[in-house]
Amino acid sequence: MVLEIIRDVLAVSSAAAFLTLVLVLCEGLILNYGPCEVTINGSRKETVQGGKSLLSSLQEKKIFIPSACGGRGTCGVCKVKVLEGGGPLLPTETPLLTKQEQQAGVRLSCQVKVRGPLAIEIPEELFRVRQYQARCSRIEDLTYDMKRFTFELTEPETISFTAGQYVQLRCPPYKGSREEVMRAYSIASDPLENRRIDLIIRRVPKGICTTWCFDYLRQGDPVSFTGPFGNFYLRDTQTPKLFIAGGSGIAPFVSILWQMKHANDGRQTVFFFGGNRTEDLCLLDEMKAFEQTLLNFRFVPVVAEPAPESRWSGQTGLVTEAVQRTFERLDGWEGYLCGGPGMIEAAIRVLRQMGIPDEKIYYDKFA
Ligand SMILES: Cc1cc2nc3c(=O)[nH]c(=O)nc-3n(C[C@H](O)[C@H](O)[C@H](O)COP(=O)(O)OP(=O)(O)OC[C@H]3O[C@@H](n4cnc5c(N)ncnc54)[C@H](O)[C@@H]3O)c2cc1C
Ligand code: FES
């Protein structure tokens, strides 16, 4: 009985896989969409070869839409407004678009296929995004699973970015990964040092790009990335700032703290940085140095479960618990969060309860 069920399931799966293959081949070989015109922001017109995703078609024209999952339809950062064309909304898009976005014609550019003329709207700043060639000049261990990579720019030789923004690193094919992929990494260096960028990367077990960074990328190797992207930057208000990060989520705050240091920023700022164990914390000396130069800046490392032998005497438990222990209310504060989805969602809930409205909570979710 069980064998028969397995046989039937295998037969149905094979038939479905075969049909999908036939459809993909038909689309590639038989359907020729020819050149298609894409009108961008009402005036700029680009002619692209039909049949590819809008994301990759625009990339070929050197218009780089952010994409954190490399076009797999899971990150939701490749949104563009489609005014004309593009076909119906796909089931792969709906989970990542709010009702208002769907009504306004927002689509995931990695899921929209160019099959005819299209009219789209994208933020003007994306025209300034460029592709950079660089050389990996330094790789430094920060923890057992986090490294800091320094990339010296070669072409163009300088970059201009706002502290808190990210780039998309190109991970080439390597043994075990046949396709080129792009992944987002926050810039973790001084924005005034415009000839290089630092990235702080945490290894994801079996992750395509992090495996390449940790096991294949060597000092001296060429690298390529696009950017800068993102709206995670320090708002120009007098409101006190609460920073919360976990793991490699510390990256954009390093850049933001450099910016604050150059500006002699005296605004009240408290930074909670969480790790599971003491071995997960990094850059403690650099944070201490920022504390010494920034008048109103306090750094609070938090360890969820310190081992007794670590003799940890600082805050313990979840980073959100440490925030709740430190403050009764946070009315009149702004929240800046960076790290994994679980931490971000928990922190948003806590900050909301403590009095920070949603529009004053800014975050970059590493997903
Ligand atoms: C705006 C933005 C900025 C980012 N900045 C940074 C940064 O500064 N430093 C940094 O280390 N990462 C950062 N990330 C995450 C990064 O883009 C990659 O998602 C991450 O490095 C994993 O890539 P990968 O190719 O190695 O794994 P993939 O091959 O994409 O993933 C392999 C598997 O692991 C799961 N997975 C993916 N990411 C994680 C994770 N973080 N933890 C646990 N499981 C995971 C996936 O669901 C998948 O099942 C950022 C993401 C975004 C959206
Ligand atoms: S690139 Fe990630 S959803 Fe489109």
Side-chain angles (χ1 to χ4, degrees):
M1 178 70 175
V2 174
L3 278 177
E4 277 172 16
I5 293 174
I6 295 174
R7 195 194 56 207
D8 290 350
V9 168
L10 281 177
V12 171
S13 314
S14 314
F18 178 72
L19 279 174
T20 310
L21 187 68
V22 170
L23 282 173
V24 170
L25 285 175
C26 285
E27 172 139 37
L29 296 173
I30 302 167
L31 297 176
N32 181 358
Y33 297 102
C36 302
E37 191 173 74
V38 182
T39 308
I40 308 163
N41 294 359
S43 52
R44 180 166 169 172
K45 293 194 188 296
E46 295 288 352
T47 304
V48 303
Q49 186 58 37
K52 292 188 186 164
S53 75
L54 178 59
L55 179 76
S56 51
S57 303
L58 292 175
Q59 203 163 317
E60 281 170 16
K61 295 291 170 187
K62 303 260 178 271
I63 298 170
F64 301 102
I65 306 293
S67 125
C69 68
R72 286 180 300 184
T74 55
C75 70
V77 300
C78 64
K79 292 171 187 174
V80 300
K81 200 168 189 179
V82 177
L83 307 172
E84 273 172 48
L89 194 68
L90 302 173
T92 44
E93 300 175 79
T94 41
L96 294 165
L97 298 171
T98 63
K99 282 271 169 297
Q100 290 96 314
E101 285 175 329
Q102 293 179 24
Q103 279 157 7
V106 175
R107 304 284 306 266
L108 297 185
S109 61
C110 69
Q111 302 298 303
V112 172
K113 279 266 167 69
V114 181
R115 292 179 171 133
L118 270 166
I120 63 167
E121 219 173 77
I122 60 172
E124 285 292 323
E125 67 257 22
L126 288 183
F127 293 126
R128 288 194 289 277
V129 169
R130 299 201 49 182
Q131 186 158 32
Y132 292 85
Q133 308 301 328
R135 189 179 62 84
C136 175
S137 59
R138 189 162 185 237
I139 302 176
E140 187 190 354
D141 283 324
L142 296 184
T143 68
Y144 63 96
D145 70 347
M146 268 199 274
K147 286 182 193 285
R148 175 158 52 189
F149 297 84
T150 300
F151 298 156
E152 304 279 346
L153 301 183
T154 49
E155 174 57 38
E157 288 181 353
T158 58
I159 182 169
S160 163
F161 65 93
T162 303
Q165 286 193 298
Y166 68 92
V167 294
Q168 289 196 178
L169 183 63
R170 174 184 161 270
C171 165
Y174 63 92
K175 195 171 164 247
S177 165
R178 270 184 287 157
E179 278 178 39
E180 171 181 316
V181 300
M182 305 291 285
R183 293 287 184 267
Y185 294 101
S186 308
I187 305 175
S189 44
D190 182 348
L192 289 189
E193 298 259 349
N194 64 356
R195 291 178 165 270
R196 61 154 239 258
I197 58 162
D198 290 348
L199 305 181
I200 294 175
I201 301 182
R202 182 180 212 165
R203 186 197 276 274
V204 169
K206 298 201 171 77
I208 297 174
C209 186
T210 55
T211 301
W212 174 71
C213 292
F214 277 66
D215 299 342
Y216 292 84
L217 180 61
R218 297 281 171 260
Q219 210 169 305
D221 284 352
V223 288
S224 159
F225 60 86
T226 51
F229 297 103
N231 296 316
F232 187 72
Y233 59 87
L234 197 63
R235 269 44 183 189
D236 199 11
T237 54
Q238 284 315 307
T239 314
K241 324 275 177 215
L242 183 76
F243 297 171
I244 303 181
S248 52
I250 196 170
F253 294 111
V254 176
S255 191
I256 288 173
L257 286 163
W258 275 109
Q259 178 201 311
M260 290 175 71
K261 183 177 160 162
H262 294 310
N264 229 342
D265 198 320
R267 290 175 290 183
Q268 185 181 2
T269 308
V270 185
F271 181 11
F272 287 84
F273 176 47
N276 282 334
R277 295 171 296 153
T278 45
E279 299 91 288
D280 292 306
L281 299 181
C282 62
L283 302 180
L284 301 185
D285 290 342
E286 289 184 27
M287 291 299 131
K288 217 171 265 168
F290 282 123
E291 267 189 328
Q292 276 156 13
T293 48
L294 284 166
L295 202 60
N296 252 324
F297 171 63
R298 193 153 71 96
F299 177 68
V300 187
V302 186
V303 180
E305 291 172 14
E309 62 275 17
S310 71
R311 296 169 185 274
W312 177 251
S313 59
Q315 293 256 16
T316 55
L318 296 178
V319 78
T320 43
E321 292 166 352
V323 172
Q324 286 168 310
R325 273 196 301 270
T326 310
F327 299 96
E328 229 168 81
R329 295 282 306 163
L330 285 166
D331 305 272
W333 285 65
E334 281 170 359
Y336 295 80
L337 322 171
C338 199
M343 192 280 283
I344 299 277
E345 276 142 33
I348 291 176
R349 275 196 301 275
V350 167
L351 297 193
R352 245 187 228 145
Q353 281 162 12
M354 296 179 76
I356 309 188
D358 281 5
E359 63 277 13
K360 294 214 176 279
I361 303 177
Y362 311 100
Y363 58 86
D364 254 353
K365 211 187 267 185
F366 285 7

